[in-house]
C-alpha cells in the first residue's frame, strides 16, 4: 500500500491503527452489552475463553504468554455470547498463563451480572467463580472426583450444559476466520484493540 501510493510505511500504519481504533470503539463494553441483553428480554449469557496464538517472545514475556493448558504462546480473551451464539463482549487481553476464572474475577464479571439480573453458563473452568451458593448467577457442570464419580443425573446435566454452550464455539469460529489471528505479532494493548475491531466487523458480517 505504501509503495503503490508513494507514501511512507509509517503513514500507512498510522492510518490502519486509526481505522482499527474507530472500529474497536463500536464494540460494546461490558455494562452496555449486558444492558442490551436485558432490554431484549434475555435472561442468560454464555461465557467462555479463547487463546489467540502469538509469536514466542524471549525472557519474562515468553513465560507470561505461555499457556500450559494449550501448550502454546498466546493471549487469553474472555467472551460473552447470547444464547444464539452472537458475540456480545470481549475482555482485554491477558497473558496466556492466566486462567479463565482469574480473568473473569479480574473483570468483576459476577458483580456485573448481578447488577443486571442476568445469569451465565460456563464450562468447568469457571467452577467456583460464583461465591454465593444461595443465589448463584454462574452455572457450571459437575466435576468428577477420584472418590466420588458422577451419577447418571449429573452426567445428564453436564450433557445439557454442553449442548447449550455449543454455540460459543460457533461464535469463536466466526471470529477466528480472520487470517490476521493465525499468529499475532502485536503488543497486548494493540491486540485488544484489534480483537474488538474484529468483533464489530464479525457482528456486521453475521448480521448481513
Amino acid at each position: 500500500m505504501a509503495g503503490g501510493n508513494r507514501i511512507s510505511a509509517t503513514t500507512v500504519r498510522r492510518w490502519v491503527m486509526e481505522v482499527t481504533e474507530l472500529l474497536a470503539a463500536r464494540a460494546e463494553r461490558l455494562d452496555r452489552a449486558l444492558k442490551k441483553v436485558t432490554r431484549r428480554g434475555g435472561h442468560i449469557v454464555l461465557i467462555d475463553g479463547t487463546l489467540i496464538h502469538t509469536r514466542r517472545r524471549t525472557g519474562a514475556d515468553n513465560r507470561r504468554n505461555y499457556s500450559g493448558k494449550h501448550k502454546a504462546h498466546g493471549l487469553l480473551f474472555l467472551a460473552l455470547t447470547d444464547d444464539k451464539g452472537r458475540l456480545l463482549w470481549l475482555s482485554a487481553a491477558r497473558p496466556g498463563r492466566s486462567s479463565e476464572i482469574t480473568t473473569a474475577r479480574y473483570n468483576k464479571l459476577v458483580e456485573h451480572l448481578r447488577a443486571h439480573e442476568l445469569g451465565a453458563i460456563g464450562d468447568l473452568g469457571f467452577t467456583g467463580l460464583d461465591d454465593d451458593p444461595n443465589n448463584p448467577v454462574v452455572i457450571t457442570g459437575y466435576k468428577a472426583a477420584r472418590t466420588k464419580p458422577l451419577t447418571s443425573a449429573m452426567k445428564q446435566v453436564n450433557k445439557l450444559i454442553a449442548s447449550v454452550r455449543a454455540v460459543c464455539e460457533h461464535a469463536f469460529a466466526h471470529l477466528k476466520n480472520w487470517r490476521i489471528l493465525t499468529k499475532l505479532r502485536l503488543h497486548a494493548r494493540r491486540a485488544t484493540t484489534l480483537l474488538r475491531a474484529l468483533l464489530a466487523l464479525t457482528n456486521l458480517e453475521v448480521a448481513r
Side-chain angles (χ1 to χ4, degrees), residues 37-129:
V37 174
T38 304
R39 194 182 306 124
R40 291 175 178 173
H43 300 288
I44 64 166
V45 293
L46 308 177
I47 178 175
D48 204 355
T50 186
L51 186 79
I52 302 298
H53 288 235
T54 62
R55 64 178 180 175
R56 180 178 178 177
R57 296 181 178 272
T58 58
D61 288 334
N62 175 42
R63 293 189 292 272
R64 279 171 53 83
N65 288 346
Y66 182 76
S67 169
K69 176 182 177 181
H70 297 275
K71 302 294 188 295
H73 293 80
L75 295 171
L76 178 67
F77 288 86
L78 208 62
L80 293 181
T81 67
D82 61 14
D83 54 357
K84 295 182 180 179
R86 289 181 294 227
L87 279 167
L88 303 173
W89 168 79
L90 276 173
S91 71
R94 299 287 293 167
R97 69 180 182 184
S98 302
S99 65
E100 294 173 347
I101 190 171
T102 302
T103 304
R105 286 171 177 156
Y106 179 83
N107 288 277
K108 299 182 179 179
L109 189 60
V110 172
E111 290 84 346
H112 286 286
L113 289 169
R114 281 207 173 90
H116 292 85
E117 297 182 349
L118 290 171
I121 297 177
D123 60 18
L124 295 178
F126 296 98
T127 302
L129 174 61

